[in-house]
Amino acid sequence: MKCYYDLHIHSALSPCADNDMTPNNILGMAAVNGLNMIAASDHNSIKNVRSFLKLREAYGVEVVPAFELQTAEDIHFLCLFPDIILLEKFYNQVSFKDIPNNKDVFGEQQIIDENDNIIAEEPRMLLVSADIYSYQVKDAVKNASGIAVPAHIDRESNGMISILGDLDDDYDAVEFSPYADEAFRKIYGKNRRIIINSDSHTLGTISEAVNFLELKECTAAALIDYLTGKL
Ligand SMILES: [Zn+2]
Ligand SMILES: [Zn+2]
């Protein structure tokens, strides 16, 4: 079946995202836009994922457990998992630097419940690289039953190709920004699954129902099967 998706959306937990990027606002916008599946993929943190998961039935939108991992080389990976337990297990294995956030400079990092109440602020600065290198990420996430997708590989900032000059491994799936040109897509999308996400930090940029995947069903598990499956 066709699953319209946007698998790269930052909630108000990410300091660079708007504070109205709450679980209900994001899922409401996704539903209005006709999306079937989203992921709240905050920088180096998963603390709002459970709130999104509690709301998926209310909005009729599947939520894929995820976060955006920043490696030691400042490369971004979208890490997607079939369920929250596997996401949490992997996340707890990653070592993050404990540098306090200066919210006046970088923005607030809000932990929000399923009623959009702010229940805490994440004190650790989330825009800091984790203690893991890009060449380690693919297998580490695979061993945890998820998939690591090099994020926005056509972009200068935090994209693997601009930092390393090329992909550093044979990835099953890559993410393009909506602005990747046809020539780039042809070269780096060859023999791989491709996803195109908005990387939204604001409500107004969440994808419309444009990009879709043909999945067995619109579930996180079927998505992981598809992305890790051979072409
Ligand atoms: Zn990124
Ligand atoms: Zn992002």
Side-chain angles (χ1 to χ4, degrees), residues 46-53 56 63-66 81-92 220:
I46 63 170
K47 289 188 180 169
N48 280 347
V49 173
R50 279 186 179 270
S51 299
F52 278 86
L53 285 168
R56 59 183 163 181
V63 173
V64 180
F81 290 82
D83 68 53
I84 182 70
I85 301 296
L86 292 166
L87 169 68
E88 289 175 343
K89 198 171 153 201
F90 174 74
Y91 178 78
N92 289 332

Side-chain angles (χ1 to χ4, degrees), residues 41-157:
S41 54
D42 284 304
H43 291 293
N44 283 349
S45 181
I46 63 170
K47 289 188 180 169
N48 280 347
V49 173
R50 279 186 179 270
S51 299
F52 278 86
L53 285 168
K54 285 179 188 161
L55 293 165
R56 59 183 163 181
E57 275 172 27
Y59 287 93
V61 177
E62 172 69 344
V63 173
V64 180
F67 73 111
E68 185 173 26
L69 175 63
Q70 181 170 319
T71 70
E73 312 98 318
D74 290 344
I75 294 167
H76 287 182
F77 281 87
L78 197 54
C79 298
L80 304 164
F81 290 82
D83 68 53
I84 182 70
I85 301 296
L86 292 166
L87 169 68
E88 289 175 343
K89 198 171 153 201
F90 174 74
Y91 178 78
N92 289 332
Q93 292 167 10
V94 181
S95 166
F96 297 101
K97 291 185 185 68
D98 203 5
I99 297 169
N101 181 35
N102 181 342
K103 65 181 177 184
D104 294 332
V105 175
F106 298 108
E108 294 173 50
Q109 301 183 152
Q110 298 177 346
I111 301 168
I112 304 172
D113 71 12
E114 68 274 23
N115 298 313
D116 284 1
N117 296 313
I118 300 166
I119 49 177
E121 281 218 31
E122 168 60 62
R124 173 171 63 82
M125 177 62 206
L126 298 178
L127 300 179
V128 175
S129 294
D131 294 327
I132 186 168
Y133 285 91
S134 66
Y135 72 88
Q136 300 171 306
V137 172
K138 184 182 146 195
D139 287 344
V141 176
K142 193 175 183 180
N143 291 340
S145 305
I147 182 167
V149 180
H152 40 66
I153 61 167
D154 54 304
R155 254 179 37 193
E156 283 280 312
S157 54

